[in-house]
Amino acid sequence: MESLNAGFAPVEHSTGKETATTPCLVCGDSAVAVVLDLGMTAPANNFILPDELARNSERFFPLRLGLCRNCGHVQLVDHVPPKVMFDHYLYMSSASSTLTEHLRDLARTVTKNLNLGPDDLVVDIGCNDGTLLEGFKLAGVGRRIGVDPATNLAAAARSKGAEVMTAYFTPDIAASIRNAHGAAAALTMTNTFPHIPDLPSLLRAVDRLLAEDGALVLEAHYLVDLMEMCAFDTIYHEHVSYWALKPMVRLFKEHGFDVFDIERLPIHHGQIRAWVCRKGKRPISNRVTEALSAEEALGLDSAEPYLQMAAKIQNIKSDLIAMIREVRGRGGRVAGYGAPAKGSTLLSFFGLGPDDLDYIADRNLLKQGRLTPGSHIPVVSPARIFADHPNLVVLFAWNFADEIAQQMSAYLEGGGRIVAPIPEVHEIGGKA
Ligand SMILES: [Zn+2]
């Protein structure tokens, strides 16, 4: 297995005092090899206020992707304390209409497949602003509880008719919900699962709360899609795991659960939805075995695909920087559209800043008036783009390209150009 280290970026960053290199989150093995090094970055959702920049209080942490040589799980090598990232969270599910519709559809699907009704309890782990729970309300599920540590989002979730606990989903919290409300017919986690470093604790919590015949339904970025799309920008400190199905199946099996079905979804850059039950309670779908075979064929537990991705990332970087410099060299102006967390990774790794992009427009009011983490580009209202018509707009929320091309039709019709960086630098909408 020595060859796994050949050609990997040397480990040259001090991990400092605040991060610790971590053994495999799934199997506990310490043989986690660095397969991609994205340098030192600020936590991707820590959009700062101008006066915080003046105080020089911003913190940076190493961002390195590791591959477990024992079980094939892909995870971050350096873990940032959750408190740095999640106490004041600026990502809101309802900020995107595509995502809102996706969550509505998930609520309908779970309600139908599990035959949920007015007496049933659904608990959404990492409920964000309550958009999914609102979907369960519309679908007729009687009792809905959300758990999320982000204090600033709880009020929004409550206003959508859910009970919200401002907490991490620990075994104690799970037990207290069960004592007060009984077992949950369904547990949901959308985009929360990749955030959780202590997986055994999570599964003990699930075990305490889930009804005997209940199901956990989770959605996560899928490693196969990440590799195929070269979506390296979705690597950031909050996402401690990058899930393939093989280590996921292993994890659940070791804790008394089966992954009994999966779906692949187009949302974001491609996600996997996994349906999990207590061991032996439901037949296992062919889709699970087929996906496991496909992963095997891709060689995801060897170094090669990650080295190929690193080469593609360098091409994206040089193409995008050349395009920005060409426009600016002619005296043109360049702006960004969408300030998602993944934009923070891309900007930091490419070394782009306010000298390259005048501003980034984003509909999220919580981000407007702030600066992008590490790269310090001002985030403004989308109205600014229509007011001053920059020559080129870089689309960082490239996973919502269709939705945004529609929002931006007036800009495009006025001769504007929008480029998306992933999976390679390409123009969207416009003259075609
Ligand atoms: Zn492992």
Side-chain angles (χ1 to χ4, degrees):
M1 299 304 278
E2 274 310 296
S3 63
L4 266 179
N5 278 318
F8 293 163
V11 179
E12 54 196 348
H13 305 295
S14 159
T15 57
K17 293 194 179 77
E18 291 171 295
T19 56
T21 55
T22 309
C24 176
L25 301 174
V26 170
C27 75
D29 202 295
S30 57
V32 177
V34 176
V35 287
L36 186 67
D37 189 338
L38 294 170
M40 296 289 284
T41 70
N45 267 307
N46 286 8
F47 287 75
I48 58 172
L49 293 163
D51 70 306
E52 290 175 276
L53 178 62
R55 286 203 308 274
N56 208 14
S57 60
E58 193 173 34
R59 295 154 77 188
F60 293 79
F61 303 90
L63 184 61
R64 299 182 296 169
L65 198 64
L67 171 66
C68 175
R69 289 184 272 187
N70 180 45
C71 76
H73 184 53
V74 172
Q75 65 177 49
L76 292 190
V77 176
D78 314 276
H79 288 203
V80 176
K83 198 165 172 46
V84 177
M85 300 183 286
F86 295 121
D87 279 7
H88 196 76
Y89 206 42
L90 301 181
Y91 175 82
M92 288 179 70
S93 306
S94 60
S96 154
S97 50
T98 307
L99 187 54
T100 299
E101 187 41 49
H102 170 77
L103 294 172
R104 292 265 193 282
D105 184 62
L106 171 62
R108 284 191 293 268
T109 303
V110 171
T111 302
K112 180 165 160 279
N113 288 8
L114 301 179
N115 200 18
L116 304 179
D119 295 332
D120 287 315
L121 172 66
V122 169
V123 177
D124 188 25
I125 304 161
C127 67
N128 196 267
D129 64 2
T131 303
L132 178 60
L133 288 170
E134 188 179 37
F136 279 113
K137 182 182 178 187
L138 295 170
V141 178
R143 298 182 298 137
R144 305 165 306 276
I145 297 176
V147 184
D148 199 302
T151 49
N152 63 315
L153 294 174
R158 287 188 187 110
S159 75
K160 295 189 174 91
E163 185 171 329
V164 180
M165 303 181 73
T166 304
Y168 289 95
F169 184 67
T170 60
D172 285 349
I173 290 289
S176 72
I177 295 173
R178 184 170 188 141
N179 289 338
H181 302 276
L187 299 176
T188 50
M189 303 178 82
T190 56
N191 279 320
T192 310
F193 193 51
H195 292 153
I196 296 175
D198 190 346
L199 295 166
S201 168
L202 168 73
L203 293 181
R204 281 198 304 278
V206 169
D207 186 45
R208 288 194 182 175
L209 185 54
L210 189 66
E212 272 307 300
D213 57 352
L216 162 69
V217 185
L218 67 87
E219 291 183 359
H221 291 138
Y222 188 32
L223 183 63
V224 171
D225 291 312
L226 188 157
M227 304 298 290
E228 282 175 358
M229 292 290 289
C230 196
F232 77 97
D233 53 346
T234 60
I235 299 167
Y236 46 86
H237 296 112
E238 289 165 24
H239 293 159
V240 296
S241 286
Y242 299 80
W243 285 102
L245 186 57
K246 183 182 162 192
M248 192 190 291
V249 166
R250 172 183 177 137
L251 172 78
F252 281 111
K253 209 172 261 318
E254 282 175 359
H255 290 84
F257 297 94
D258 286 335
V259 177
F260 67 90
D261 204 356
I262 58 140
E263 298 162 70
R264 288 181 67 177
L265 309 164
I267 187 83
H268 299 304
H269 63 84
Q271 294 211 311
I272 187 167
R273 177 185 292 164
W275 297 73
V276 179
C277 63
R278 293 186 187 275
K279 198 171 269 179
K281 289 284 181 186
R282 292 167 196 262
I284 296 184
S285 157
N286 287 339
R287 282 189 285 270
V288 174
T289 37
E290 284 162 11
L292 288 171
S293 306
E295 287 181 3
E296 180 96 43
L298 289 169
L300 289 184
D301 51 6
S302 69
E304 195 52 36
Y306 306 92
L307 297 176
Q308 288 169 4
M309 183 166 74
K312 286 189 209 160
I313 295 168
Q314 289 302 333
N315 288 338
I316 294 170
K317 179 178 180 177
S318 51
D319 289 352
L320 185 63
I321 289 175
M323 189 176 271
I324 290 170
R325 293 208 173 132
E326 191 268 324
V327 171
R328 292 193 81 99
R330 292 187 274 111
R333 286 167 303 113
V334 183
Y337 192 95
K342 59 179 168 296
S344 305
T345 296
L346 189 144
L347 290 165
S348 290
F349 187 62
F350 287 1
L352 295 170
D355 292 341
D356 305 292
L357 295 139
D358 295 341
Y359 56 83
I360 296 178
D362 194 289
R363 293 203 300 178
N364 185 339
L365 296 173
L366 298 175
K367 290 182 178 172
Q368 292 173 16
R370 291 175 178 260
L371 304 171
T372 54
S375 46
H376 306 152
I377 300 168
V379 181
V380 303
S381 159
R384 176 84 173 266
I385 287 185
F386 299 106
D388 67 16
H389 203 89
N391 304 76
L392 179 69
V393 169
V394 181
L395 179 59
F396 296 104
W398 50 265
N399 49 319
F400 295 122
D402 293 343
E403 179 180 337
I404 289 167
Q406 275 185 345
Q407 288 167 24
M408 302 277 283
S409 57
Y411 167 77
L412 288 167
E413 282 158 18
R417 290 170 68 202
I418 303 178
V419 295
I422 307 290
E424 57 194 5
V425 177
H426 63 286
E427 284 203 37
I428 67 159
K431 294 146 272 182

